[in-house]
Amino acid sequence: MNLLSAEAGRVRGEVKITKDYLNAIGGTHGGWLSTLVDVGGSLAIASHGFKTTGVSTDLSVSFLAPSGEGSNIVFDAQVLKLGRTLAYTRVDIFNNDKMIATGSHTKFIAREQERAAKDAKE
């Protein structure tokens, strides 16, 4: 994974698809794309300065188009809402500017918010 950009609440990155990421019929494995939603959403939360990013409470992925070996996958992860106890993220995944998957990822972050408030006081 190569990070392309990061700012508070948004992270973009890219991954070159190798045979290790393929399913039995040669497409990019849906489980791997789901992992990218998980990791991307977590990175977007971390971009707010959190040392840890909580635990997942919900993850949903819609697969829109195929990709395969040699594809250069780009993801755009953003925090939609950073609340007191929950963070909501969205991750869009592209191959050659065509969206191939989109996902949402919700994480419980109450402990992370408490740690951030404590660190800010010190």
Side-chain angles (χ1 to χ4, degrees):
M1 179 183 299
N2 179 39
L3 291 181
L4 300 173
S5 64
E7 58 189 68
R10 190 171 200 165
V11 175
R12 294 184 69 245
E14 66 182 351
V15 179
K16 186 77 164 183
I17 301 300
T18 66
K19 65 180 180 178
D20 296 326
Y21 303 131
L22 302 180
N23 59 26
I25 60 171
T28 305
H29 197 287
W32 185 84
L33 292 170
S34 298
T35 299
L36 190 55
V37 170
D38 186 348
V39 172
S42 296
L43 288 172
I45 293 168
S47 73
H48 278 285
F50 291 112
K51 294 177 184 175
T52 58
T53 61
V55 296
S56 298
T57 62
D58 182 61
L59 187 125
S60 175
V61 184
S62 295
F63 306 103
L64 309 174
S67 64
E69 189 171 2
S71 297
N72 188 45
I73 301 296
V74 174
F75 69 90
D76 183 5
Q78 56 186 317
V79 175
L80 301 177
K81 180 179 180 187
L82 190 64
R84 190 172 46 84
T85 60
L86 294 173
Y88 301 88
T89 69
R90 175 181 167 161
V91 181
D92 295 325
I93 303 171
F94 301 88
N95 180 27
N96 296 323
D97 296 323
K98 179 179 182 180
M99 187 181 292
I100 61 166
T102 185
S104 62
H105 186 203
T106 306
K107 297 191 85 170
F108 179 74
I109 59 163
R111 291 181 184 154
E112 285 66 26
Q113 289 286 35
E114 290 173 6
R115 283 188 204 119
K118 181 181 175 186
D119 289 347
K121 289 180 183 179
E122 294 177 356

